[in-house]
């Protein structure tokens, strides 16, 4: 019942992950404008054909052709995505014909997406891009099948464990970060065995990986948390693999060792299950899961747990799944677009401040 991500936005993000140089939205200039503006921070040029009321009646194929030529003249791209919108779908615009007529030198992926594609799940827009990329020889069929399987699993998780359960879920900002940070540090100080699990997706991993950089050894040198992460740099689309490599390298430079790699960043729908298999083999006293915590079957672990999520509407579902505490990180996409370094999180800032206070000598 509440607003959710759109298939059109998912198409834009997936084209970005394929390292598209330019994306053309064939629709009104206001369609998906926030996503388009944000993607400019990631080096992708996003433009529109600026369809208007007259175009809804007579069509806008000529506008699309003109935009393709202008894009070629301005940017000289190698890979272009043309993404449909609700407007182009309703009037039955033949975007592929317009692309063929334009005949620009770049490879062009034509994506028939719109806001209600299939059942309206955002992942349908991503699948449409993958299928277009396969048709044009950008990715092999095997990768399309693997990605599609992961995306459908992600949809299943959202509908059964996340915010897409078919009812209205009020946004919540979760438990107090100061209190949860104190709980985590006190557990470390008394010698509890703690696991930090990164089960994140795409660029938001740069924010959630901040948890793994916290200098816990400064207050608990003899009790180092175990780190489990979905940071396999050999899995996923080009940009996704690079994210995993960047984060893994940065963690290594700060002396943080990842004890178990559960898979790639685009495998978060299944890497949570793999993380639990690792956790069940050890006798942990507390587990902290950052990124997409509802994709990890926390109900299999009978121990206190902390979830770190970017979704205010996920707080209630996460509590029902069994997480003891839930904290939220807002605007994760906006904070991480355009970066190739780990970004300090709100929860990380609170933890660092508390660690600094513990190190400071008591005033006399």
């Amino acid at each position: 019942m509440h607003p959710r991500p759109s298939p059109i936005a998912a198409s834009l993000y997936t084209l970005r992950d394929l390292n598209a140089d330019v994306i053309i939205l064939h629709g009104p200039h206001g369609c998906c404008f926030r996503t388009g503006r944000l993607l400019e921070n990631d080096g992708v040029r996003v433009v529109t054909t600026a369809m208007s009321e007259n175009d809804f009646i007579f069509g806008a194929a000529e506008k699309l052709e003109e935009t393709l030529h202008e894009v070629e003249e301005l940017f000289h791209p190698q890979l272009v995505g043309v993404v449909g919108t609700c407007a182009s779908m309703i009037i039955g615009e033949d975007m592929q014909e317009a692309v063929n007529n334009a005949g620009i030198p770049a490879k062009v992926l034509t994506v028939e997406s719109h806001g209600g594609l299939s059942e309206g799940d955002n992942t349908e827009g991503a699948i449409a891009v993958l299928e277009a990329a396969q048709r044009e020889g950008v990715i092999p069929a095997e990768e399309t099948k693997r990605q599609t399987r992961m995306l459908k699993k992600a949809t299943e998780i959202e509908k059964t464990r996340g915010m897409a359960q078919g009812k209205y879920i009020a946004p919540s900002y979760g438990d107090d970060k100061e209190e949860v940070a104190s709980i985590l540090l006190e557990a470390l100080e008394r010698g509890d065995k703690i696991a930090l699990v990164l089960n994140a997706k795409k660029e938001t991993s740069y924010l959630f990986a901040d948890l793994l950089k916290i200098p816990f050894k400064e207050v608990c040198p003899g009790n180092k948390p175990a780190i489990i992460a979905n940071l396999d740099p050999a899995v996923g689309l080009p940009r996704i693999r690079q994210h995993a490599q960047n984060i893994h390298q940065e963690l290594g430079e700060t002396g943080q060792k990842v004890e178990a790699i559960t898979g790639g960043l685009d495998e978060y729908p299944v890497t949570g299950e793999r993380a639990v298999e690792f956790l069940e083999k050890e006798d942990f006293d507390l587990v902290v899961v950052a990124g997409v915590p509802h994709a990890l079957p926390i109900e299999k672990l009978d121990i206190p747990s902390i979830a770190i999520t970017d979704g205010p509407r996920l707080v209630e579902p996460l509590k029902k799944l069994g997480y003891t505490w839930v904290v939220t990180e807002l605007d994760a996409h906006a904070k991480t677009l355009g970066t190739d370094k780990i970004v300090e999180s709100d929860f990380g800032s609170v933890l660092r401040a508390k660690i600094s206070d513990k190190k400071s000598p008591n005033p006399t």
Side-chain angles (χ1 to χ4, degrees):
M1 293 178 67
H2 47 74
R4 290 178 50 222
S6 158
I8 303 171
S11 293
L12 301 184
Y13 278 115
T14 307
L15 284 163
R16 182 275 314 267
D17 295 338
L18 284 165
N19 286 335
D21 302 297
V22 182
I23 301 172
I24 301 172
L25 269 167
H26 189 38
H29 54 67
C31 185
C32 239
F33 84 96
R34 176 168 170 77
T35 302
R37 286 183 179 179
L38 287 174
L39 285 178
E40 291 272 345
N41 295 332
D42 246 351
V44 185
R45 304 304 181 200
V46 182
V47 300
T48 83
T49 54
M51 290 175 70
S52 60
E53 286 185 352
N54 203 50
D55 300 315
F56 302 158
I57 300 169
F58 298 105
E62 289 185 6
K63 277 190 173 180
L64 178 53
E65 292 178 33
E66 291 169 4
T67 305
L68 282 161
H69 286 299
E70 191 167 355
V71 159
E72 168 60 27
E73 183 179 340
L74 284 173
F75 307 117
H76 308 293
Q78 293 184 325
L79 181 62
V80 175
V82 174
V83 178
T85 63
C86 300
S88 64
M89 179 273 297
I90 289 170
I91 66 174
E93 192 83 281
D94 190 340
M95 298 192 302
Q96 188 59 58
E97 182 180 26
V99 169
N100 293 342
N101 289 341
I104 65 172
K107 187 178 288 292
V108 181
L109 306 184
T110 306
V111 184
E112 299 284 354
S113 180
H114 55 83
L117 185 63
S118 186
E119 295 185 13
D121 297 316
N122 64 316
T123 48
E124 294 295 337
I127 292 170
V129 171
L130 295 169
E131 291 172 346
Q134 180 187 327
R135 287 195 300 270
E136 296 297 327
V138 176
I139 59 174
E142 294 75 16
E143 180 65 7
T144 301
K145 291 178 182 177
R146 187 192 68 81
Q147 292 263 355
T148 299
R149 186 172 65 253
M150 290 298 161
L151 289 163
K152 289 186 179 296
K153 178 68 174 176
T155 297
E156 177 189 334
I157 288 170
E158 289 299 335
K159 289 186 173 181
T160 57
R161 301 171 64 84
M163 67 175 181
Q165 297 180 41
K167 62 178 183 177
Y168 180 80
I169 302 174
S172 167
Y173 298 102
D175 295 297
D176 183 85
K177 293 181 179 67
E178 294 275 347
E179 295 178 5
V180 178
S182 295
I183 289 167
L184 175 55
L185 291 176
E186 288 166 7
L188 278 166
E189 289 175 325
R190 65 173 172 260
D192 289 357
K193 191 173 182 180
I194 295 175
L196 307 179
V197 180
L198 179 70
N199 196 60
K201 64 178 180 178
K202 297 200 175 191
E203 71 277 357
T204 61
S205 54
Y206 285 115
L207 184 137
F208 291 113
D210 184 48
L211 173 71
L212 312 183
K213 282 187 65 177
I214 303 297
F216 293 115
K217 62 183 179 181
E218 293 183 8
V219 290
C220 312
N223 187 16
K224 188 176 182 180
I227 295 177
I228 305 161
N230 61 326
L231 290 175
D232 188 339
V235 177
L237 299 180
R239 192 175 292 251
I240 302 303
R241 295 198 304 269
Q242 189 63 55
H243 293 335
Q245 183 176 330
N246 292 344
I247 293 170
H248 202 280
Q249 181 177 333
E250 186 171 345
L251 291 175
E253 291 171 354
T254 58
Q256 303 288 51
K257 179 183 178 183
V258 179
E259 294 191 21
I261 298 289
T262 54
L265 286 173
D266 69 0
E267 294 185 307
Y268 68 91
V270 297
T271 50
E273 297 173 3
R274 297 170 189 166
V276 165
E277 291 174 4
F278 177 88
L279 294 167
E280 288 178 322
K281 296 175 183 178
E282 304 286 338
D283 189 20
F284 287 102
D285 300 300
L286 175 67
V287 61
V288 187
V289 185
V292 189
H294 53 295
L296 184 145
I298 195 65
E299 60 273 18
K300 292 184 178 180
L301 303 174
D302 187 22
I303 56 174
S305 54
I306 300 170
I308 307 175
T309 178
D310 65 345
R313 296 188 194 272
L314 283 167
V315 173
E316 179 187 324
L318 288 167
K319 290 276 191 175
K320 288 182 178 179
L321 288 174
Y323 282 97
T324 317
W325 301 279
V326 179
V327 297
T328 56
E329 295 283 348
L330 302 182
D331 296 324
H333 281 288
K335 290 178 179 177
T336 53
L337 283 170
T339 187
D340 59 1
K341 303 289 184 184
I342 294 174
V343 174
E344 185 165 305
S345 62
D346 293 340
F347 189 53
S349 297
V350 173
L351 283 166
R352 288 182 177 90
K354 287 189 174 295
I355 290 172
S356 179
D357 289 344
K358 288 177 179 292
K359 288 171 56 184
S360 299
N362 293 325
T364 56

